[in-house]
């Protein structure tokens, strides 16, 4: 009888740890830095910085310029790489936001996750039908932190590099890319 009770308690504990809605496991994202690799003819991101918001949270701040209207002549996507030990030896991770024509990317991925940005940026609201072309202009970001509830619990801890890639569809040439670096940790609450 006590064996059955032991399994039930263990099962409940595992369910609580693995199910984020129960609230026992918390994912924490700590921004480290942003680096622009190429694409100064498309983006000017010199004024975007990572800063400490408080002792446990880093945020993104600054103003960037989109120098051209982006439409379906371009393809956009995100690649992820992980360094388990933080020694700058990043290994490609199979998780990604697959590259899509830009307007389709905005209509699907951006539309689904724009709630993360709307209170911290002046990026335009994208209705369900999309926004094409995405207008050039100055876009600011203030105290933007990643809402960790959008990170699946199966994503392992470690140091992460997130690389957005903008490619011209006609030539296949990468015209803009950069990297966000962050540390992902998990803690019991």
């Amino acid at each position: 009888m006590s064996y059955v009770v032991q399994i039930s308690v263990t099962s409940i504990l595992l369910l609580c740890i693995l199910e984020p809605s129960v609230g026992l496991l918390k994912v924490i994202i700590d921004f480290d830095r942003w680096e622009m690799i190429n694409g100064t003819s498309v983006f000017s991101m010199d004024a975007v910085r990572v800063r400490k918001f408080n002792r446990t949270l880093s945020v993104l701040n600054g103003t960037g310029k989109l120098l051209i209207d982006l439409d379906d002549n371009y393809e956009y996507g995100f690649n992820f790489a992980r360094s388990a030990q933080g020694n700058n030896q990043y290994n490609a991770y199979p998780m990604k936001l697959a590259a899509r024509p830009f307007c389709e990317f905005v209509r699907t991925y951006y539309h689904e996750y724009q709630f993360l940005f709307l209170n911290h940026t002046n990026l335009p609201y994208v209705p369900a039908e999309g926004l094409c072309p995405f207008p050039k202009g100055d876009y600011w970001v203030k105290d933007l932190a990643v809402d960790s509830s959008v990170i699946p619990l199966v994503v392992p801890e470690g140091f992460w590099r997130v690389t957005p890639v903008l490619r011209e569809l006609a030539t296949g040439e990468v015209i803009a890319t950069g990297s966000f670096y962050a540390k992902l940790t998990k803690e019991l609450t």
Side-chain angles (χ1 to χ4, degrees):
M1 185 71 161
S2 66
Y3 181 72
V4 172
V5 171
Q6 179 67 30
I7 290 174
S8 296
V9 170
T10 303
S11 298
I12 291 171
L13 182 58
L14 281 174
L15 174 67
C16 290
I17 290 173
L18 296 176
E19 175 57 42
S21 63
V22 175
L24 289 180
L25 189 63
K26 181 176 164 185
V27 175
I28 301 166
I29 301 287
D30 188 27
F31 279 130
D32 182 36
R33 68 188 183 278
W34 157 255
E35 293 177 355
M36 186 80 177
I37 297 169
N38 73 341
T40 55
S41 62
V42 179
F43 297 106
S44 174
M45 302 281 285
D46 296 334
V48 176
R49 302 278 186 261
V50 173
R51 74 171 183 90
K52 269 307 213 192
F53 185 74
N54 59 33
R55 88 180 164 81
T56 61
L57 182 65
S58 295
V59 294
L60 204 56
N61 276 306
T63 301
K65 293 182 184 210
L66 177 59
L67 303 172
I68 62 172
D69 290 335
L70 293 174
D71 56 22
D72 278 342
N73 292 318
Y74 303 95
E75 179 180 74
Y76 195 60
F78 286 86
N79 298 317
F80 296 83
R82 178 177 173 256
S83 173
Q85 298 173 351
N87 57 3
N88 273 342
Q89 295 180 3
Y90 287 91
N91 296 313
Y93 199 74
M95 176 179 70
K96 70 165 111 179
L97 290 178
R100 293 183 174 183
F102 196 83
C103 293
E104 183 181 341
F105 183 93
V106 169
R107 192 181 78 254
T108 55
Y109 296 136
Y110 180 80
H111 176 73
E112 184 176 344
Y113 292 104
Q114 68 184 335
F115 70 92
L116 298 170
F117 309 110
L118 289 178
N119 293 327
H120 299 280
T121 71
N122 67 333
L123 289 170
Y125 173 78
V126 175
E129 62 273 4
L131 174 67
C132 196
F134 197 88
K136 65 182 176 182
D138 293 349
Y139 295 105
W140 55 262
V141 58
K142 181 159 176 62
D143 298 337
L144 178 65
V146 174
D147 180 354
S148 60
S149 69
V150 300
I151 308 295
L153 282 176
V154 297
V155 173
E157 291 182 311
F159 295 84
W160 287 85
R161 180 181 66 209
V162 180
T163 306
V165 178
L166 182 67
R167 184 180 314 270
E168 191 172 21
L169 279 176
T171 63
E173 177 186 356
V174 172
I175 61 168
T177 189
S179 291
F180 285 101
Y181 292 87
K183 181 179 180 185
L184 186 145
T185 56
K186 297 176 184 178
E187 68 180 31
L188 292 173
T189 58

